Amino acid sequence: SSSVDHSQLDVASLLPFFSLPRNVVFPNKRGNNSFAYLYMPNNLSDSCKSNSSWKPPLLVKVHGGPTACASTVFQLKIQYWTSRGFAILDVDYGGSTGYGRDYRLSLNGQWGITDVDDVCSGAEWCAEQGFVDANSICIDGGSAGGYTTLASLAFRDTFKVGASLYGVADLSALAEETHKFESKYLDTLVGRYPEEKHIYDERAPINFTDQLNCPVILLHCHDK
């Protein structure tokens, strides 16, 4: 095996490949604003630079939790895409931590609604601003972010392709089988279970696979 001597790494030579996050604020369907970090691509090919009409594809990233938040810590999983011509929108949808109590509580009873609306609104706003190609918008997320990804693909037409990493597809199964630490968590995010199971069924992407109209990859594994 070989190893890399990081002391010999010419960091300055890599800077042109790195994208820095820009904090953006966009209007949401609740009549106020939502938040995200926008990374525009670097290291564009000469053909893209010379084409004034070219706009980058957009990959919308959805954090987990669902009440966690996006981070601006240096992440190679973001730089991988931006160094290859993609723009990234890392969305802090309603319910995310870091924007005050009211914003954090806006997801209560609305998981599968508020988060989906916000990732779609953020993507559409980027296209309206002329930052990205409106016909090349993608989405991915893991765990709770995977649920928002699947719900966005099943219930909206904003995205052209998606990737769900160990995402939730069946809310009832999650309510019945989740670990003890998060027991009854969904009573706050969705509704009382099983009394309001109909809400869980209405928001479960697994019940609406016939509405998927674009490619999606599902990445999962067995718990051991």
Side-chain angles (χ1 to χ4, degrees), residues 28-86:
N28 60 41
K29 293 185 178 180
R30 300 183 299 285
N32 47 44
N33 294 321
S34 292
F35 310 90
Y37 297 107
L38 176 64
Y39 299 76
M40 294 303 291
N42 269 339
N43 190 37
L44 298 179
S45 67
D46 290 339
S47 61
C48 291
K49 293 176 181 177
S50 63
N51 185 349
S52 59
S53 64
W54 182 87
K55 295 177 182 178
L58 175 68
L59 173 58
V60 173
K61 286 197 165 289
V62 192
H63 67 70
T67 55
C69 60
S71 172
T72 56
V73 170
F74 180 77
Q75 301 175 73
L76 288 176
K77 66 182 179 180
I78 286 180
Q79 302 299 328
Y80 172 88
W81 293 102
T82 57
S83 64
R84 288 159 173 79
F86 277 77

Side-chain angles (χ1 to χ4, degrees), residues 147-181:
Y147 166 69
T148 302
T149 294
L150 291 174
S152 298
L153 297 174
F155 304 127
R156 302 288 192 277
D157 295 318
T158 302
F159 302 100
K160 303 302 182 183
V161 66
S164 171
L165 293 76
Y166 48 92
V168 176
D170 187 339
L171 290 176
S172 293
L174 180 64
E176 293 171 358
E177 301 175 11
T178 192
H179 50 86
K180 184 176 181 180
F181 181 74

Side-chain angles (χ1 to χ4, degrees), residues 12-34:
S13 67
L14 299 177
L15 291 179
F17 296 88
F18 296 156
S19 295
L20 297 177
R22 167 188 165 192
N23 189 285
V24 296
V25 180
F26 58 89
N28 60 41
K29 293 185 178 180
R30 300 183 299 285
N32 47 44
N33 294 321
S34 292

